[in-house]
Amino acid sequence: MTGTPAEVGRGWGKAMAENMHQGLNRILTAVNEVHKTSRTEALSYAMKLWPIAKQFDPELEPFVRGQAQGAGMSLEEAWATRCGLELLFVNTGLAAMCTTLAGTGLATSDGQCIMGQNIDWFKGTPIALLHIKRSDGLRQLVLPLLGLGEYTLNSAGLACCLNGVSAMQPNLQPKISMGAYLPRAMRQTDITKARQLLEQACRGIVAVTLADAKGNLLCIEGTLDDHEVLQPHDGFLTHANNYKTSRFQAVDGCQMIFPDSQARTARMNELAAGLAGQLTPQTLGQALMDHQGYPNSICRHPDPAVPSGLQAESLGSFIMLPAERAMLVAVGNPCTHEYVRYDV
């Protein structure tokens, strides 16, 4: 899909119409099962986030209106597909989130950045890969997990991984939706500009790991009123769903919301330590297939002890090579599905 924000939005909506409808219904079903919130109430809440989101990113409104038109949705429905984490923000017992491993410099076999993660979410949620050419010439490969984030690699060599986090700060609410700030950050051609946008807006929903073609690697963690920039340790950055910033741990809702995150973090750190100087697409892929702690492992499988509507699995897996402007994607659990290469 090519063109202006409105044209890209229409193309996105047309290509992803079935996925957008299914994704929205899946999110709203989960919100209802956990919060007993009706569809009307959930859409109403999402629209409370709309005014400040439009103000933050001038391209957002024509893009989302284009999505709605292309997918045959109302504006409210199209916007809600981008607000899934906000709608589930005070959720408990999800156990459905992702684990990231990224490396650069001495961590990798060639000194270049490499990053990847499994996309873990509710079983049956649709995913797809979009190839976008914007009117300004920027090209993007985007893996949209509707309502939960957009894993993006662009033609400038800027790439991102996303890991849900939860700050237990009951008197505060998320302000700018991830559906507004993340796309704007990933339209940047310079990691410093993307970092500045995320430092301004990334608050308490996700930790965003950024890498670029020059070998730069960092992660931005945020609570609802603060943020921290994490740097690689021995060339590696790992992240699951618990905060790594010590001063944020007092408000970390990980144990209640993502109870297996600490174990996945420890396991990924262990795997990283064994890969010093040897991180390649092949060894990263092997790490993402790890089953320690099965079924709630890095390579996640449905847990029969969890209610069926909240069971999660690795819907897909990806590895990004920013210097090569390439993304390797496995649709489904990486232990049973091959990675396929796509070039931006």
Side-chain angles (χ1 to χ4, degrees), residues 23-344:
L24 177 61
N25 289 337
R26 192 67 190 85
I27 291 167
L28 296 182
T29 296
V31 170
N32 180 260
E33 288 191 18
V34 175
H35 296 304
K36 310 307 178 186
T37 299
S38 71
R39 182 185 184 94
T40 299
E41 291 170 329
L43 295 179
S44 177
Y45 175 77
M47 290 308 294
K48 291 179 181 178
L49 303 172
W50 179 239
I52 193 170
K54 291 191 298 179
Q55 183 178 0
F56 179 78
D57 184 1
E59 294 191 11
L60 185 68
E61 182 166 13
F63 173 79
V64 177
R65 289 191 182 278
Q67 274 193 312
Q69 182 181 8
M73 286 179 151
S74 67
L75 172 67
E76 292 79 6
E77 290 171 329
W79 174 239
T81 67
R82 308 179 71 79
C83 296
L85 279 183
E86 285 81 9
L87 293 174
L88 287 162
F89 181 69
V90 295
N91 223 340
T92 57
L94 287 179
M97 291 295 201
C98 315
T99 318
T100 292
L101 173 60
T104 191
L106 294 177
T108 66
S109 62
D110 59 4
Q112 296 293 330
C113 271
I114 179 173
M115 65 194 307
Q117 72 174 89
N118 293 337
I119 303 174
D120 298 348
W121 196 241
F122 296 124
K123 187 173 63 175
T125 301
I127 62 169
L129 179 65
L130 300 178
H131 197 167
I132 297 169
K133 183 176 181 181
R134 301 176 52 79
S135 57
D136 59 8
L138 187 72
R139 301 184 308 280
Q140 297 173 306
L141 286 173
V142 182
L143 268 168
L145 181 60
L146 298 174
L148 286 307
E150 296 165 7
Y151 310 93
T152 303
L153 169 68
N154 71 29
S155 55
L158 183 65
C160 74
C161 287
L162 309 171
N163 296 88
V165 293
S166 180
M168 297 289 98
Q169 298 170 282
N171 296 323
L172 299 173
Q173 292 292 325
K175 295 180 180 179
I176 303 175
S177 168
M178 182 178 63
Y181 67 70
L182 184 65
R184 184 177 176 190
M186 296 311 296
R187 294 198 304 268
Q188 306 307 307
T189 58
D190 184 286
I191 196 171
T192 300
K193 294 180 180 178
R195 168 180 170 170
Q196 290 170 346
L197 285 167
L198 292 173
E199 287 178 323
Q200 175 186 347
C202 184
R203 292 291 184 271
I205 296 290
V206 291
V208 183
T209 301
L210 292 177
D212 72 5
K214 297 178 181 179
N216 296 303
L217 179 63
L218 59 92
C219 178
I220 307 219
E221 281 191 335
T223 61
L224 296 176
D225 59 354
D226 198 0
H227 76 276
E228 183 64 59
V229 179
L230 306 178
Q231 300 293 340
H233 178 67
D234 294 333
F236 287 104
L237 266 176
T238 63
H239 214 291
N241 308 110
N242 52 287
Y243 282 110
K244 303 186 78 172
T245 302
S246 58
R247 72 176 190 277
F248 294 166
Q249 290 170 10
V251 298
D252 193 350
C254 172
Q255 285 301 107
M256 180 173 66
I257 298 179
F258 315 119
D260 54 60
S261 178
Q262 293 280 6
R264 287 183 285 114
T265 297
R267 178 56 175 165
M268 192 59 95
N269 287 339
E270 179 184 355
L271 292 170
L275 290 174
Q278 304 175 57
L279 191 65
T280 64
Q282 292 73 28
T283 59
L284 177 51
Q286 289 169 3
L288 294 172
M289 298 177 198
D290 189 78
H291 285 127
Q292 181 170 298
Y294 182 96
N296 299 311
S297 42
I298 292 171
C299 184
R300 185 181 294 277
H301 294 261
D303 185 349
V306 174
S308 59
L310 297 178
Q311 287 184 0
E313 63 185 350
S314 293
L315 303 170
S317 182
F318 66 83
I319 297 168
M320 295 192 188
L321 308 172
E324 298 181 29
R325 277 68 168 178
M327 182 189 298
L328 312 178
V329 181
V331 179
N333 287 90
C335 63
T336 54
H337 294 78
E338 296 288 334
Y339 287 95
V340 177
R341 178 177 173 126
Y342 298 90
D343 295 289
V344 70

